[in-house]
Amino acid sequence: MKVNYLGYAGIALFLAVITGLMLPVMANNPNEATMFEIDSPYVKIGIEIVLGLLTVGLSLLLFQNRHSKNQEVDHVNLVMVPLALLLWFGLVIYLDIKPETHNVLMTIPVMLLGFGALLTAVSLDQKQNVDQRTSKDKNSDMSLGFIATLVAIYAVIFYGLTISVISGLLVALSVLVIGDVNWPTNVTRLRRKIIKDKLLKSDVVVKDWAILNELGNVKNIVIEKSGILTEPVAKIYSVKSVDERYSDNDVIGIAAGLMANFASPLSQGFLAYAESQGVVPSQVSEPEKNLLVGISGVIHQERFSIVSAEEALSHYDVSADYLATFAQIGNSVVYIIDSLQVVGVLNYSTPWSYEVIGFDRSLARRKIHTQVLSTDNNGSMQDLANLLKTANVLKSGLSPEEKLAAQLEILDDEHSLLITNQQIPKGMPNRPVIELGDSLPNADIQIKHLSQVELLFKTADQLRRTNGWKLRWQMFWVGLLFILTAALGAFAGKYIFFAPLVAVAIRLALSTWFSRQIKK
């Protein structure tokens, strides 16, 4: 149930005016005149009974609402507020029955004024647009609530023994109303929201924010080569037919038709190459992407595929010497096959991305190692060792099965993550997955550029500091506020009866200031 705190605050202030016209505002002042004289003591008792029922009813409503699923509830501690209302009302009634000297502000009109200010402060706290509350936030709130409770109990005992029980209860009431134990986590949640919003504005999609908490422990990054470490468009050198049934242009049309169905650096570069050769891509049905192997589709009732060099060497009649020629000059090779044999060879290269150097330097500062595993021929990675100095594993020329096994072996380490633009390996442990692209529904985070990996780590650092020492520092100041409130009771003297009203005024001022900071 959503409670309209500002509405209840308005009712309290209205009743403060009404009772102020009927009852003395300043206690122990027999000469004070009221606008409406009340001759019968039963009218005053009736007013007190009605206000008592309203106070108890509101307190029960607030106390029960602490378990509400309404997100706004977790902004304010709904145990301390109803306890404060009940304690304040009880003290006013007790002092009205057994008046003590100088309790000039412990009257029903002033109490209702305090109720209005307290509920207004609660309303301001509830309107904060902050991040979701986490289990750590709840534990922090409970810890500070425990401290505030101890301080309040200590105040009752200490001042009860040294001054009077009434003084102890007044100080305890002041501790309950001067601040909220949820303030530190509210500030933390606001900072988290600002940090997260800034990341989202950088075209980063985060599907599971908890993953960022794991980035601080990452020691190894398994990263795909093509399209991540390389530029997004491949450079095509040649396309040759090795089957007399097909011309070179036939092979270009077949390959272009297959690649048109899948986005990759090779696809973008090859489609541009086919257009420059004046070749129209073949019509393809039943396109299919085979994990770590290649792509395939049906053209004129026959299935054609584009496979890696290692896949072709393992399953088809391919010349290893012919392949080695391209490896020596650092080019990549893929083969176009029909249902029986190889029909064409595609020779290309993908230049290394200019972002690799910055990416490598950022990981080096964090002492993170990278592992690159590829089914491309060995020559395709001969320059990477000089660019990616954080790499402690660089393997190429692997079969699809070997690549998958090697990836899973590294990802078995709990301090590892995967950066990919391909399908997530089957059997992969529960590790963070960062996709460069937007086609993997199971990726935890999706980025547009490799440079955004460092942004993710910086965001994780900011969140860790926000949830760590910054939160503890804020808890220290609020805890100190509770302790100082209790300590100042020793110096209040005859002004101790002013303490609750001063405390609630301070709370209202702090809540107003914080609310304005959020709006800015």
Side-chain angles (χ1 to χ4, degrees):
M1 177 180 179
K2 187 174 181 179
V3 179
N4 185 356
Y5 297 95
L6 195 59
Y8 284 110
I11 294 173
L13 294 175
F14 174 75
L15 292 176
V17 174
I18 296 299
T19 55
L21 297 175
M22 304 174 66
L23 302 173
V25 177
M26 307 295 287
N28 292 337
N29 185 2
N31 296 320
E32 180 182 356
T34 59
M35 181 170 292
F36 302 102
E37 294 292 339
I38 300 178
D39 296 327
S40 173
Y42 297 107
V43 175
K44 181 180 179 181
I45 293 174
I47 293 174
E48 292 174 344
I49 291 174
V50 171
L51 292 177
L53 293 174
L54 292 175
T55 302
V56 171
L58 177 59
S59 299
L60 289 175
L61 177 63
L62 297 180
F63 190 75
Q64 292 174 352
N65 203 46
R66 76 192 191 281
H67 294 308
S68 172
K69 293 182 179 180
N70 178 17
Q71 186 179 349
E72 291 184 350
V73 170
D74 57 33
H75 291 70
V76 176
N77 185 286
L78 292 181
V79 175
M80 295 177 64
V81 172
L83 286 178
L85 296 177
L86 293 171
L87 179 57
W88 203 332
F89 181 80
L91 283 170
V92 167
I93 298 301
Y94 177 81
L95 292 174
D96 184 58
I97 298 173
K98 295 184 177 181
E100 296 192 8
T101 57
H102 306 300
N103 59 333
V104 291
L105 292 181
M106 296 302 291
T107 60
I108 286 178
V110 174
M111 176 200 72
L112 290 171
L113 181 65
F115 282 8
L118 178 59
L119 293 171
T120 301
V122 171
S123 176
L124 291 172
D125 291 338
Q126 295 286 46
K127 293 180 179 179
Q128 298 164 9
N129 183 19
V130 295
D131 191 39
Q132 291 286 340
R133 193 184 190 200
T134 65
S135 58
K136 186 175 181 179
D137 295 333
K138 295 178 183 178
N139 293 335
S140 299
D141 293 339
M142 290 177 62
S143 298
L144 196 54
F146 180 72
I147 293 173
T149 302
L150 284 181
V151 172
I153 293 174
Y154 175 80
V156 174
I157 296 174
F158 177 78
Y159 291 111
L161 294 175
T162 57
I163 303 177
S164 68
V165 173
I166 294 299
S167 297
L169 291 173
L170 287 168
V171 174
L173 173 60
S174 302
V175 171
L176 292 176
V177 301
I178 199 168
D180 194 279
V181 298
N182 290 24
W183 277 353
T185 54
N186 286 347
V187 174
T188 297
R189 292 162 63 189
L190 172 63
R191 287 176 172 169
R192 285 205 305 259
K193 186 176 187 303
I194 293 172
I195 293 170
K196 292 179 178 180
D197 287 348
K198 185 177 180 180
L199 179 64
L200 295 178
K201 289 178 181 178
S202 302
D203 288 333
V204 175
V205 177
V206 181
K207 298 180 181 179
D208 184 1
W209 286 102
I211 293 298
L212 291 179
N213 298 330
E214 301 180 27
L215 295 187
N217 299 320
V218 168
K219 300 299 180 185
N220 295 292
I221 296 180
V222 178
I223 183 169
E224 293 285 352
K225 177 179 77 74
S226 299
I228 296 181
L229 298 178
T230 62
E231 290 293 336
V233 179
K235 183 176 182 180
I236 310 301
Y237 294 113
S238 64
V239 182
K240 298 294 183 183
S241 171
V242 295
D243 189 320
E244 61 183 12
R245 296 175 298 167
Y246 303 97
S247 67
D248 290 348
N249 282 351
D250 289 335
V251 174
I252 294 173
I254 292 170
L258 294 172
M259 293 187 194
N261 294 279
F262 304 97
S264 72
L266 178 56
S267 298
Q268 294 184 51
F270 194 83
L271 290 173
Y273 175 81
E275 184 178 359
S276 70
Q277 300 296 313
V279 177
V280 177
S282 302
Q283 293 294 319
V284 175
S285 61
E286 302 178 27
E288 184 178 350
K289 188 172 185 179
N290 304 311
L291 179 63
L292 300 177
V293 175
I295 58 177
S296 65
V298 175
I299 301 174
H300 298 308
Q301 299 182 342
E302 184 173 7
R303 180 164 290 276
F304 290 84
S305 303
I306 298 177
V307 300
S308 66
E310 291 301 319
E311 177 72 8
L313 281 171
S314 301
H315 298 92
Y316 297 93
D317 184 16
V318 174
S319 171
D321 292 336
Y322 181 75
L323 182 62
T325 302
F326 296 108
Q328 289 176 0
I329 61 175
N331 290 352
S332 297
V333 175
V334 294
Y335 288 83
I336 299 92
I337 61 174
D338 62 12
S339 55
L340 297 175
Q341 61 190 23
V342 174
V343 299
V345 183
L346 192 164
N347 171 30
Y348 72 99
S349 70
T350 46
W352 299 112
S353 171
Y354 71 94
E355 294 183 337
V356 170
I357 296 177
F359 169 73
D360 183 62
R361 288 174 178 172
S362 68
L363 296 185
R365 288 192 296 268
R366 298 178 181 275
K367 299 181 180 180
I368 297 175
H369 294 292
T370 53
Q371 296 81 35
V372 184
L373 305 162
S374 175
T375 57
D376 281 348
N377 56 286
N378 293 325
S380 66
M381 290 208 298
Q382 62 185 13
D383 296 327
L384 186 58
N386 296 325
L387 294 175
L388 198 63
K389 300 184 184 300
T390 55
N392 59 0
V393 176
L394 283 176
K395 291 184 179 180
S396 57
L398 301 174
S399 68
E401 294 78 13
E402 290 172 336
K403 176 182 177 180
L404 176 60
Q407 285 183 330
L408 294 180
E409 181 180 357
I410 298 171
L411 291 169
D412 191 52
D413 180 3
E414 63 180 355
H415 302 303
S416 61
L417 69 80
L418 173 66
I419 300 179
T420 187
N421 57 357
Q422 301 179 17
Q423 290 175 296
I424 299 173
K426 292 182 179 179
M428 175 180 165
N430 186 21
R431 302 288 178 260
V433 176
I434 300 174
E435 179 196 6
L436 200 151
D438 57 1
S439 61
L440 298 178
N442 295 327
D444 301 305
I445 300 173
Q446 294 174 327
I447 58 177
K448 302 294 185 184
H449 309 284
L450 187 61
S451 58
Q452 291 175 319
V453 173
E454 174 62 10
L455 179 60
L456 292 175
F457 278 101
K458 286 183 176 179
T459 301
D461 292 340
Q462 292 175 329
L463 290 174
R464 187 164 52 252
R465 290 193 295 269
T466 298
N467 294 324
W469 68 265
K470 288 187 177 181
L471 173 58
R472 291 191 293 271
W473 189 243
Q474 290 148 16
M475 291 177 65
F476 167 78
W477 284 113
V478 175
L480 184 62
L481 177 65
F482 293 140
I483 294 172
L484 289 177
T485 302
L488 290 175
F491 306 97
K494 64 181 181 180
Y495 299 105
I496 191 95
F497 294 99
F498 289 81
L501 198 61
V502 172
V504 79
I506 293 174
R507 175 170 183 162
L508 179 59
L510 291 174
S511 295
T512 302
W513 175 82
F514 186 48
S515 177
R516 289 181 177 177
Q517 294 302 307
I518 292 178
K519 290 181 180 179
K520 290 181 180 180

